């Protein structure tokens, strides 16, 4: 495969990665570039509860970098 989502080099994935953390009282989302560099971070405000804001946060982070879900190398 080639392009985002494919493999390159020694079996390494290329393309951005989305990291989700929703098991704690303060969910967070991070978008990482192909080399693992931070492209964006969202963390729920202190005192808020629930995971409803996670989906809009993901959409915002992806849109800010022009990335689609299909363009992610991994979640």
């Amino acid at each position: 495969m080639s392009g985002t989502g494919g493999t390159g080099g020694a079996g390494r994935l290329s393309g951005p990665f989305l990291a989700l953390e929703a098991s704690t009282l303060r969910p967070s989302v991070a978008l990482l570039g192909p080399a693992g560099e931070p492209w964006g971070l969202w963390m729920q405000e202190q005192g808020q509860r629930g995971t409803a804001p996670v989906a809009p946060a993901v959409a915002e982070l992806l849109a800010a970098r022009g990335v689609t879900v299909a363009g992610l190398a991994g979640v």
Side-chain angles (χ1 to χ4, degrees):
M1 292 169 124
S2 63
T4 8
T7 58
R12 294 179 51 150
L13 294 172
S14 62
F17 297 86
L18 182 66
L20 304 165
E21 163 47 51
S23 66
T24 63
L25 291 176
R26 244 179 125 184
S28 59
V29 178
L31 183 62
L32 306 172
E37 70 277 17
W39 275 8
L41 174 67
W42 171 86
M43 183 176 266
Q44 189 168 14
E45 290 183 31
Q46 191 73 31
Q48 282 190 329
R49 296 288 184 254
T51 55
V54 171
V58 167
E60 248 181 69
L61 286 174
L62 294 177
R65 286 289 183 155
V67 176
T68 64
V69 172
L72 291 171
V75 178

